[in-house]
Amino acid sequence: MILVRNLRLDSGEDLSRLSAKAAKKLRVSTSDIAECRVVKRSLDARKKNDIHYTCSAAVALRAGEDKLLARFAGKDVCAYTEPVYDIPHVEAASRPVVVGFGPAGMFAALVLARAGARPIVLERGQDALSRKAAVDAFRAGGELDPESNVQFGEGGAGTYSDGKLFTRSKKRGDYRRALEVFRFHGADESILYDAHPHIGTDRLPRIIAAMRRSIADAGGEVLFGAKVTGVQIKDDRICGVWLGDTLVEGAAVILAAGHSARDIYEMLDRDGVRLEAKAFAMGVRAEHPQRLIDSIQYHMPERGEYLPAAAYSLVAQV
């Protein structure tokens, strides 16, 4: 396939127009294109009377891709390899233990499952559906379940705020790979090409459940209501964890409990595990009416039916 960058779409134009625009840029006929799919889309609202999308598209030609690439080789036209997502099922003698099924534990378990390690995941809270029932009951005036709430349970705190499920920092690893994992498990395709991807809190529970099924299909196991109460140390090495009176042994233990599980860190300190404090960080949230942000970003009183809700970030280095 061929990647074609810097394709312009006006705010009212449909994505289906990309095929014709890619054909024009490649100097081929639209009928020569077998497939055209958007890979990236960002909204350019810098000029008051010229708000448009800048897109990149993956294009498959019916013939002659190599010759065309040789002719157009440059920053706007280059070869494109379709990403592939699969989880091979490989038997392994030892099984690592993952403590916590929030974002870190979930992706750790997926990586281990793909490697054939058949991880055992221990989550103190409940599955997403049971957890939602407990949270709804609490918000309606019922009692708080200390083990299954907005902090603890399948998906971690990220289940109730999709910004916690992945980082937008491209310095921390394969950023697009994480988005491809979410897309493979049911997220909308737009997260792969929008400059500011948004999964949607309403969709997260079923996506997370699908990720759990992928782990299970590869031989892994996710246990809910499994609160770790101690670690097993032998020859100065952690070789398992305790669930009350039950020992779960593992070739390695990955701790992905999140920073809200204070009792886990107290337990580690009690059991002689060396801990190091991380630097203090504070987040501040400011809310503005969406209409105000839209008017500032788009230089007009109303954004209309074609433009999305505007987003912005304020950064200060002190």
Side-chain angles (χ1 to χ4, degrees):
M1 297 187 79
I2 299 172
L3 181 66
V4 185
R5 297 189 179 96
N6 292 323
L7 298 173
R8 176 186 169 120
L9 279 181
D10 291 331
S11 59
E13 285 189 292
D14 190 81
L15 285 172
S16 60
R17 290 280 300 145
L18 271 184
S19 183
K21 291 176 181 289
K24 183 177 180 180
K25 190 159 192 171
L26 294 173
R27 301 175 198 167
V28 299
S29 169
T30 305
S31 60
D32 293 330
I33 295 180
E35 181 184 357
C36 179
R37 184 165 41 78
V38 61
V39 172
K40 186 176 181 181
R41 177 178 67 177
S42 60
L43 187 63
D44 188 340
R46 291 174 294 180
K47 295 182 180 179
K48 184 175 181 179
N49 298 315
D50 184 25
I51 300 175
H52 62 277
Y53 286 100
T54 300
C55 304
S56 297
V59 175
L61 295 183
R62 301 188 188 282
E65 282 191 8
D66 291 340
K67 290 183 179 179
L68 191 145
L69 279 171
R71 190 172 74 210
F72 280 94
K75 67 175 184 177
D76 279 356
V77 179
C78 61
Y80 178 76
T81 301
E82 186 71 33
V84 177
Y85 186 83
D86 64 288
I87 299 181
H89 192 148
V90 182
E91 295 296 331
S94 58
R95 303 186 68 180
V97 174
V98 179
V99 179
F101 199 52
M106 192 182 309
F107 275 87
L110 277 169
V111 169
L112 290 167
R114 294 192 69 217
R118 300 183 301 127
I120 303 172
V121 183
L122 306 176
E123 169 55 52
R124 69 195 296 171
Q126 298 301 320
D127 63 275
L129 290 179
S130 301
R131 179 186 180 196
K132 182 179 183 302
V135 171
D136 290 345
F138 171 67
R139 287 175 171 170
E143 291 187 11
L144 171 70
D145 183 343
E147 307 301 343
S148 192
N149 45 60
V150 294
Q151 298 286 7
F152 304 130
E154 185 173 28
T159 303
Y160 289 88
S161 173
D162 68 351
K164 295 183 179 69
L165 270 178
F166 61 89
T167 176
R168 290 186 174 90
S169 171
K170 298 175 177 60
K171 299 178 182 178
R172 299 183 182 179
D174 197 341
Y175 161 80
R176 182 178 172 85
R177 184 63 170 169
L179 296 181
E180 288 166 358
V181 171
F182 285 125
R183 172 67 184 113
F184 178 82
H185 290 96
D188 191 85
E189 186 179 19
S190 63
I191 69 169
L192 296 179
Y193 53 75
D194 277 342
H196 300 284
H198 183 70
I199 297 173
T201 304
D202 56 329
R203 298 181 179 182
L204 277 170
R206 62 179 173 81
I207 293 171
I208 291 167
M211 293 171 73
R212 185 211 324 151
R213 287 192 292 273
S214 286
I215 294 167
D217 289 344
E221 190 176 3
V222 181
L223 303 178
F224 295 109
K227 182 179 179 179
V228 172
T229 57
V231 293
Q232 178 75 2
I233 300 177
K234 186 177 181 180
D235 297 329
D236 207 29
R237 179 182 177 87
I238 295 178
C239 54
V241 297
W242 289 94
L243 304 178
D245 296 330
T246 303
L247 176 63
V248 180
E249 296 183 279
V253 176
I254 293 179
L255 184 67
H259 56 59
S260 297
R262 183 178 178 86
D263 54 350
I264 290 288
Y265 299 102
E266 292 172 345
M267 174 268 292
L268 292 171
D269 184 57
R270 183 195 68 221
D271 290 351
V273 177
R274 182 180 175 183
L275 301 174
E276 181 178 332
K278 62 182 290 187
F280 186 83
M282 180 178 70
V284 178
R285 176 170 178 154
E287 294 189 4
H288 305 289
Q290 184 63 57
R291 186 173 178 178
L292 171 64
I293 304 305
D294 290 342
S295 66
I296 295 172
Q297 179 79 332
Y298 298 136
H299 321 287
M300 60 181 72
E302 300 286 345
R303 71 171 185 262
E305 62 177 307
Y306 297 114
L307 293 172
Y312 80 103
S313 61
L314 179 65
V315 180
Q317 301 290 345
V318 295

mmCIF file of all heavy atoms in Angstrom, residues 277-283:
data_model
loop_
_atom_site.group_PDB
_atom_site.id
_atom_site.type_symbol
_atom_site.label_atom_id
_atom_site.label_comp_id
_atom_site.label_asym_id
_atom_site.label_seq_id
_atom_site.Cartn_x
_atom_site.Cartn_y
_atom_site.Cartn_z
ATOM 1 N N ALA A 277 9.963 6.262 46.872
ATOM 2 C CA ALA A 277 8.890 7.224 46.613
ATOM 3 C C ALA A 277 9.112 7.925 45.279
ATOM 4 O O ALA A 277 10.235 8.245 44.916
ATOM 5 C CB ALA A 277 8.826 8.252 47.731
ATOM 6 N N LYS A 278 8.029 8.148 44.557
ATOM 7 C CA LYS A 278 8.118 8.899 43.309
ATOM 8 C C LYS A 278 7.900 10.376 43.606
ATOM 9 O O LYS A 278 7.396 10.749 44.660
ATOM 10 C CB LYS A 278 7.080 8.402 42.296
ATOM 11 C CG LYS A 278 5.640 8.580 42.740
ATOM 12 C CD LYS A 278 4.664 8.032 41.707
ATOM 13 C CE LYS A 278 4.640 8.890 40.465
ATOM 14 N NZ LYS A 278 3.582 8.470 39.510
ATOM 15 N N ALA A 279 8.291 11.214 42.666
ATOM 16 C CA ALA A 279 8.139 12.655 42.843
ATOM 17 C C ALA A 279 6.661 13.018 42.945
ATOM 18 O O ALA A 279 5.800 12.367 42.341
ATOM 19 C CB ALA A 279 8.779 13.392 41.672
ATOM 20 N N PHE A 280 6.361 14.063 43.689
ATOM 21 C CA PHE A 280 4.984 14.493 43.869
ATOM 22 C C PHE A 280 4.488 15.186 42.594
ATOM 23 O O PHE A 280 5.188 15.968 41.974
ATOM 24 C CB PHE A 280 4.886 15.468 45.050
ATOM 25 C CG PHE A 280 3.484 15.866 45.398
ATOM 26 C CD1 PHE A 280 2.706 15.058 46.200
ATOM 27 C CD2 PHE A 280 2.944 17.040 44.903
ATOM 28 C CE1 PHE A 280 1.413 15.423 46.516
ATOM 29 C CE2 PHE A 280 1.648 17.410 45.211
ATOM 30 C CZ PHE A 280 0.876 16.600 46.024
ATOM 31 N N ALA A 281 3.271 14.845 42.202
ATOM 32 C CA ALA A 281 2.662 15.467 41.025
ATOM 33 C C ALA A 281 1.251 15.899 41.370
ATOM 34 O O ALA A 281 0.561 15.246 42.149
ATOM 35 C CB ALA A 281 2.638 14.478 39.856
ATOM 36 N N MET A 282 0.814 17.010 40.790
ATOM 37 C CA MET A 282 -0.532 17.505 41.050
ATOM 38 C C MET A 282 -1.183 17.908 39.736
ATOM 39 O O MET A 282 -0.567 18.561 38.899
ATOM 40 C CB MET A 282 -0.494 18.714 41.995
ATOM 41 C CG MET A 282 -1.861 19.284 42.327
ATOM 42 S SD MET A 282 -1.784 20.669 43.484
ATOM 43 C CE MET A 282 -1.038 21.933 42.459
ATOM 44 N N GLY A 283 -2.421 17.496 39.565
ATOM 45 C CA GLY A 283 -3.173 17.885 38.383
ATOM 46 C C GLY A 283 -4.259 18.879 38.764
ATOM 47 O O GLY A 283 -4.820 18.812 39.854
#
